[in-house]
Amino acid sequence: MTSSRIRQSFLDYFAGEGHEIVRSSSLVPADDPTLLFTNAGMNQFKDLFLGREQRAYRRATTSQKCMRVSGKHNDLDNVGPSRRHHTFFEMLGNFSFGDYFKDDAIPFAWTLLTEVWQLPPDRLHPTVFKGEAGIPRDDEAHAIWSRLVPSDRIVEMGLEDNFWAMGDTGPCGRCSEVHYERGDHVPCEEPACRGIDCSCERYVEIWNNVFMEFDRDAGGNLAPLPAASIDTGMGLERIVAIIQDKTSNYDTDLFTPLLRAIGAETGRAYGPLAPGGAPGPDDVSMRVVADHLRAMTFLIGDGVMPSNEWRGYVLRKIMRRAMRHGKKLGMTRPFLHRLVDVVAREMGDAYPELRTGRETIAGVVRAEEDRFDAVLTDGLPRLEAALTRADGGGLAGEDVFRLYDTYGLPLDFIEDLAAERGVTVDRGGFERCLEAQRTQSRAGTRFSADAGSSEFTFATGNPAGSAVPADGADSSPVGSTPGPSVAHASDRFEGYTATRVDDAEILGLFDDARTEVSEIGPGTAGYVVLDRTPFYLEAGGQVSDTGRLTAAGDAVVAEVDGLERVAPGGPRAHRVQVARGGLKVGERVNAAVDAERRDAIRRNHTATHLLHAALREHLGAHVKQAGSLVAPDRLRFDFAHDGPVDPETLDAIERTVNAGVYANHAVETEVRSTQEAIEAGAMALFGEKYGDSVRVVSVPGVSMELCGGTHCRATGDIGLFAVTQETGVAAGVRRIEAVTGEGAVAHLQGQRRSAAAVLDALGVSGDRAVDTVRRLQAEARRLARELDQLKMKAALGGPAESQGDDSVSIGDARFIARRVGGLEKGALRGLADKLRDRLGRGVVLLVNDNDGKVGLIVSVSKDLTDRVHAGKVVKAIAPIVGGGGGGRPDFAEAGGREPARIDALLTESRRVVGRMLGEESAS
């Protein structure tokens, strides 16, 4: 059975048991900044399990794209040597949200494994929770399994293996795993194999059924969940290996087409692993390339771009690890981008986004390959210099990290080259530097307190004006789970049709520290939760509304300057500054959005949709949104594209958008099922989370996108669209910034004033301006060349004209140490070469004082480099002027910041060169 058939048969089986087939969510988790990548099938259902979200179905099944490259789920270092570890993998799963439980979940698993896939029942070994740490044994699961397999084949295990928790608190439960026994032909190094608890490869876990039945509080106490749920996970790669009778996942049809293509590119043949066999170096590298190609293809397809920050940093690390192993396979030129087609062809049926984004993905991979080649060109000399300085000793962790982080050299690359030179690497010091950077990066991804990172703290009991829970229970204590009155109130947004809502009830108030209070007085800041509101909360790139809350005429006035979410899935809180009067829970206010600002935001948001469509029209269907900002004064649109947009194409895009504005198309909105909208062609945007139903915003014949933002009624409301800038923000990601309406008029008027000022300064008309500027630039370049030539001539003459030749003899060589001034780096290098050639056999040292910055160059004739190493000379004397540097044996340079110490450097240089040439008096 092929892997495609196995995947589909899993989904079809559970669909036949009343489960909704839900498409895989993105590898980029939506609304979960704590998670680097989606790493389990349940991630997209987290709010369903927590009761924060309701959907039309209570049973679901998925084949979920997953990545495990960080924390306890970091498989990166095992990829290649291991038979079954991967960075990217697919997780098959079936889920119940308060519907069925163990009585159905276990038989479902058994029937699929033994009847649909026809695995031998006597090779399946289930596990159950044995009871530990006060949590009772799972007698129920044991009894169910006992009806399916002999009781002596059921293994009881503890917390580490058979208990799962979403976090330190919250939903958790006991598990039941299913292990497959491959057979005695798989070797085991133990005197007697310990079964599923053994470290050998004879037994493989293939399925985990999690019974989410408890809610754990901060004290570790377990209480039954109101509705027990089921969360299961099965790695597609593992079950395919079992069904296809392979001992390595890499020998299945999920990988063999890609491994054949890698072999064709590299001229190496991949050898399937025999049971117990160890892969050779080429096989390890080919597996690394295959795994990492899948990972990079899917990540880029989901909008992640290589960069030096967070998710992009991990992607770049994966890509460069693949490139490094490509070089181990003898590849000296970029080749990974050509293999993207293989991944898209093999996986495109299950994940169509790979086919539609194939060109973009390949372009991003090629750009990163070219960048890595440049990294090696730039970084290798620095690594060589560091190894030379180490001189058979050790490379400090800080130096290794600098080469890794600043210059992009992979750690294994550094370690391999160091080992060849007999240099040790301080891996511990490197890891400490890396962890320090990760800590800083994680801190940088969190919102500051001012931006709303602090949690809202809820008071005990129910505030005035709020409802008591139906069961009469009190709300949670201060600092624990939010109380039902505010945190669990519905979020009624009425801003699509109005910018003002009258007579809105205040459900809750919080002070500036986000602690629940009963009132907010005049002159103070705080947060207000209303039963309904016209204020938009920042999402999808669109900024939050601002405006005003009023009551009793104008006796109460509170300015709204932003919004935040009280709790995940809860209502929005209006951040206010009370100008007059006071606000109390239970009172009613009028909520009015700043309509003029909202209109400006609408114009920019609708223009963003027109821009997206125009980009796809002129650049290709590979263009996908990679981020945006919709503010009142401007719009910013990031999109996937592998190169700059040329001026002519940018002009055409701008004209297309404005043509859409002039056409005055109606902007239509409707709510549809997510699947139906996507099948109809609606664009689903990177990083956004969608439920069962979505809002679709359409400009008929032009654009259709899933969007929860506010928009114009017709495109003509935009007025005018003007591009202000097109730039690159990351590998394969471009950015267009633009303005609309009054902002566009102001921009064009500003451009006109600037052009008029330039023409006035030049004293020419507009049609002659470009020629005049070019003429002036050519004249400036000519004068600069003449000045450099004069400086060079003066420097070549040096003090010789008045004092004789300033070179001195040291043994059988000549040495010049000269101070010059005002030369640029290129001229300084040229002067050093000329003086060295004039000497014939000798050493030239030039020190340049240019606007308080010291430049130092040492040039050595080729016949002396076995005795005088230019890099070592620089290393010895550059600290005198507060600098440092290095270089080759024949040429080296450095910088410094203490020109007052130049004379001391010149004096010391004579001694350093003399020692190298063996002059006794030099010491």
Side-chain angles (χ1 to χ4, degrees):
M1 192 185 299
T2 66
S3 56
S4 295
R5 182 71 196 116
I6 293 169
R7 182 195 297 113
Q8 193 59 48
S9 64
F10 179 93
L11 299 174
D12 289 345
Y13 170 75
F14 281 103
E17 296 292 345
H19 292 64
E20 180 83 8
I21 298 178
V22 180
R23 65 195 298 265
S24 172
S25 64
S26 169
L27 284 169
V28 179
D31 298 335
D32 193 347
T34 65
L35 197 57
L36 183 65
F37 296 115
T38 298
N39 61 13
M42 61 78 59
N43 289 160
Q44 69 165 308
F45 302 118
K46 183 176 178 180
D47 285 347
L48 283 171
F49 286 124
L50 292 172
R52 297 170 180 165
E53 181 184 348
Q54 299 294 322
R55 297 192 185 178
Y57 51 82
R58 297 179 66 190
R59 297 183 178 196
T61 183
T62 64
S63 178
Q64 173 64 49
K65 301 177 288 187
C66 295
M67 285 284 297
R68 290 188 177 173
V69 287
S70 63
K72 68 177 182 179
H73 295 306
N74 187 355
D75 291 338
L76 184 60
D77 291 339
N78 293 321
V79 172
S82 166
R83 299 168 181 267
R84 53 187 174 84
H85 281 94
H86 308 287
T87 52
F88 169 86
F89 65 99
E90 295 176 75
M91 183 72 85
L92 304 174
N94 59 287
F95 308 89
S96 164
F97 313 111
D99 186 33
Y100 63 84
F101 202 45
K102 300 175 190 179
D103 278 335
D104 291 310
I106 292 174
F108 281 160
W110 183 256
T111 301
L112 177 64
L113 292 171
T114 60
E115 297 182 18
V116 178
W117 288 340
Q118 298 184 348
L119 295 181
D122 59 351
R123 290 197 176 189
L124 298 175
H125 298 257
T127 71
V128 297
F129 184 67
K130 68 179 182 180
E132 190 176 0
I135 304 171
R137 176 179 183 263
D138 196 342
D139 294 329
E140 184 182 1
H142 193 284
I144 297 170
W145 278 117
S146 296
R147 296 196 294 266
L148 301 169
V149 301
S151 295
D152 60 2
R153 217 162 69 228
I154 303 171
V155 181
E156 299 186 25
M157 307 186 79
L159 284 170
E160 184 175 350
D161 296 292
N162 274 67
F163 194 89
W164 183 91
M166 192 176 291
D168 293 336
T169 61
C172 56
R174 296 167 289 190
C175 308
S176 177
E177 299 171 343
V178 180
H179 294 250
Y180 182 80
E181 181 184 355
R182 292 183 185 275
D184 293 344
H185 66 287
V186 177
C188 177
E189 296 180 0
E190 299 284 340
C193 183
R194 292 180 286 112
I196 66 173
D197 201 31
C198 192
S199 60
C200 69
E201 296 281 342
R202 190 172 291 176
Y203 292 83
V204 181
E205 177 198 339
I206 58 174
W207 206 338
N208 188 17
N209 284 261
V210 179
F211 310 127
M212 283 203 276
E213 52 193 330
F214 303 121
D215 186 9
R216 182 159 56 191
D217 64 21
N221 302 308
L222 300 178
L225 283 171
S229 297
I230 293 291
D231 163 23
T232 81
M234 172 191 287
L236 176 66
E237 290 76 10
R238 286 193 188 183
I239 193 61
V240 170
I242 296 296
I243 293 175
Q244 294 184 358
D245 195 23
K246 306 294 183 182
T247 57
S248 169
N249 296 353
Y250 293 93
D251 296 339
T252 69
D253 68 345
L254 284 167
F255 288 91
T256 49
L258 191 49
L259 287 166
R260 282 195 297 269
I262 294 169
E265 287 281 351
T266 62
R268 311 294 173 98
Y270 177 75
L273 267 181
D282 285 355
D283 290 342
V284 168
S285 290
M286 292 178 77
R287 285 149 69 150
V288 169
V289 172
D291 173 273
H292 290 8
L293 257 169
R294 289 181 6 134
M296 69 181 79
T297 300
F298 275 91
L299 282 172
I300 297 169
D302 277 352
V304 180
M305 295 295 161
S307 70
N308 290 328
E309 297 178 357
W310 210 30
R311 294 183 178 115
Y313 182 85
V314 174
L315 171 59
R316 174 164 284 167
K317 180 178 179 179
I318 289 170
M319 297 178 78
R320 291 186 173 179
R321 191 167 186 259
M323 294 168 199
R324 165 66 174 146
H325 280 271
K327 294 192 181 297
K328 286 187 174 184
L329 293 168
M331 299 304 294
T332 58
R333 294 184 177 181
F335 74 105
L336 296 176
H337 64 282
R338 292 194 292 271
L339 298 171
V340 169
D341 278 354
V342 181
V343 181
R345 182 183 69 237
E346 295 297 321
M347 307 289 281
D349 287 342
Y351 304 100
E353 64 269 22
L354 296 184
R355 286 182 176 152
T356 57
R358 180 182 54 80
E359 291 181 15
T360 297
I361 298 167
V364 172
V365 173
R366 177 57 194 261
E368 190 63 17
E369 289 187 284
D370 291 340
R371 188 172 286 103
F372 186 58
D373 281 346
V375 161
L376 293 183
T377 301
D378 188 36
L380 270 179
R382 288 172 169 81
L383 175 56
E384 294 279 3
L387 293 173
T388 300
R389 289 194 298 271
D391 196 21
L395 268 183
E398 293 84 354
D399 293 335
V400 176
F401 180 73
R402 189 177 303 109
L403 291 165
Y404 170 86
D405 187 59
T406 304
Y407 301 106
L409 294 177
L411 179 61
D412 58 353
F413 187 94
I414 297 171
E415 289 179 322
D416 286 352
L417 211 55
E420 291 173 9
R421 306 291 179 82
V423 175
T424 60
V425 172
D426 178 11
R427 210 176 217 273
F430 168 82
E431 294 290 349
R432 286 190 293 274
C433 292
L434 183 61
E435 183 56 34
Q437 188 212 52
R438 286 172 176 161
T439 301
Q440 183 178 5
S441 177
R442 284 193 293 264
T445 63
R446 299 188 184 104
F447 293 113
S448 67
D450 288 341
S453 65
S454 300
E455 294 182 355
F456 285 85
T457 303
F458 298 82
T460 303
N462 298 300
S466 63
V468 176
D471 60 3
D474 289 337
S475 58
S476 304
V478 174
S480 66
T481 306
S485 58
V486 179
H488 297 170
S490 61
D491 185 45
R492 292 179 56 190
F493 174 63
E494 299 182 0
Y496 289 133
T497 56
T499 56
R500 179 183 175 95
V501 168
D502 291 334
D503 205 32
E505 181 185 359
I506 299 176
L507 295 182
L509 294 170
F510 300 83
D511 63 18
D512 204 27
R514 298 173 175 79
T515 298
E516 191 170 6
V517 294
S518 59
E519 61 181 294
I520 303 176
T524 58
Y527 296 84
V528 181
V529 178
L530 302 175
D531 67 336
R532 52 202 177 91
T533 179
F535 284 84
Y536 184 84
L537 171 64
E538 182 173 350
Q542 180 176 324
V543 299
S544 294
D545 283 326
T546 61
R548 175 177 288 188
L549 305 181
T550 60
D554 283 333
V556 177
V557 176
E559 301 293 340
V560 179
D561 62 10
L563 293 97
E564 297 177 22
R565 188 73 68 185
V566 168
R572 60 199 73 195
H574 307 69
R575 191 172 61 238
V576 300
Q577 181 73 39
V578 180
R580 287 197 301 273
L583 300 172
K584 294 183 180 181
V585 173
E587 292 183 344
R588 296 185 176 273
V589 294
N590 301 322
V593 170
D594 182 335
E596 186 175 332
R597 183 177 180 274
R598 165 74 78 83
D599 285 343
I601 293 171
R602 290 186 216 256
R603 287 192 290 269
N604 285 333
H605 204 153
T606 303
T608 298
H609 286 215
L610 295 182
L611 173 61
H612 194 181
L615 287 167
R616 290 171 64 83
E617 177 182 337
H618 290 278
L619 301 180
H622 65 275
V623 169
K624 291 169 57 178
Q625 180 175 333
S628 69
L629 170 69
V630 179
D633 58 332
R634 70 195 187 284
L635 67 89
R636 185 179 72 218
F637 190 81
D638 297 345
F639 58 97
H641 187 60
D642 58 3
V645 181
D646 62 75
E648 293 76 16
T649 303
L650 193 61
D651 287 346
I653 290 168
E654 189 177 54
R655 285 195 299 271
T656 297
V657 174
N658 278 301
V661 174
Y662 309 149
N664 198 26
H665 298 291
V667 178
E668 301 175 353
T669 61
E670 62 175 330
V671 176
R672 305 174 67 175
S673 78
T674 303
Q675 193 62 36
E676 178 187 324
I678 291 174
E679 289 174 355
M683 295 290 294
L685 305 183
F686 165 67
E688 288 300 301
K689 179 181 179 180
Y690 302 107
D692 290 340
S693 298
V694 290
R695 188 167 180 265
V696 181
V697 177
S698 303
V699 178
V702 178
S703 166
M704 180 166 61
E705 295 190 13
L706 310 186
C707 181
T710 60
H711 286 271
C712 300
R713 291 179 177 82
T715 59
D717 296 346
I718 295 169
L720 179 65
F721 172 87
V723 173
T724 59
Q725 189 171 231
E726 192 275 338
T727 56
V729 292
V733 180
R734 306 298 299 178
R735 170 175 291 173
I736 283 181
E737 297 180 61
V739 286
T740 64
E742 294 179 7
V745 173
H747 170 73
L748 295 177
Q749 289 175 341
Q751 294 286 90
R752 186 169 62 239
R753 285 193 298 271
S754 296
V758 171
L759 294 176
D760 184 58
L762 293 172
V764 298
S765 60
D767 58 344
R768 296 174 52 202
V770 174
D771 289 339
T772 301
V773 170
R774 287 174 177 163
R775 178 175 54 78
L776 291 173
Q777 288 175 331
E779 181 68 9
R781 286 192 293 269
R782 183 185 66 78
L783 292 173
R785 284 194 300 270
E786 290 180 1
L787 181 60
D788 282 344
Q789 290 167 1
L790 289 172
K791 288 181 179 179
M792 180 81 75
K793 185 176 181 181
L796 275 171
E801 296 174 0
S802 58
Q803 302 173 14
D805 187 2
D806 64 338
S807 67
V808 297
S809 295
I810 303 178
D812 58 350
R814 304 287 293 172
F815 176 57
I816 290 178
R818 182 180 295 179
R819 178 175 186 159
V820 296
L823 291 181
E824 298 300 327
K825 185 177 286 188
L828 192 65
R829 289 172 177 168
L831 175 60
D833 290 342
K834 290 181 183 297
L835 289 173
R836 184 199 60 214
D837 293 343
R838 179 184 290 180
L839 288 180
R841 178 181 175 81
V843 179
V844 174
L845 182 145
L846 298 178
V847 188
N848 182 39
D849 180 1
N850 192 359
D851 291 331
K853 295 180 180 179
V854 180
L856 169 64
I857 282 184
V858 176
S859 185
V860 181
S861 58
K862 296 288 187 182
D863 55 356
L864 282 179
T865 54
D866 59 333
R867 297 160 64 190
V868 180
H869 189 294
K872 292 182 178 179
V873 174
V874 162
K875 181 180 178 182
I877 63 177
I880 296 173
V881 290
R888 306 187 306 268
D890 63 325
F891 182 85
E893 56 188 338
R897 56 185 181 278
E898 300 179 30
R901 301 274 296 158
I902 288 178
D903 290 341
L905 180 147
L906 292 170
T907 301
E908 178 63 17
S909 69
R910 170 72 173 76
R911 287 194 285 268
V912 170
V913 173
R915 283 195 296 270
M916 291 183 176
L917 289 170
E919 184 185 51
E920 293 183 7
S921 61
S923 59

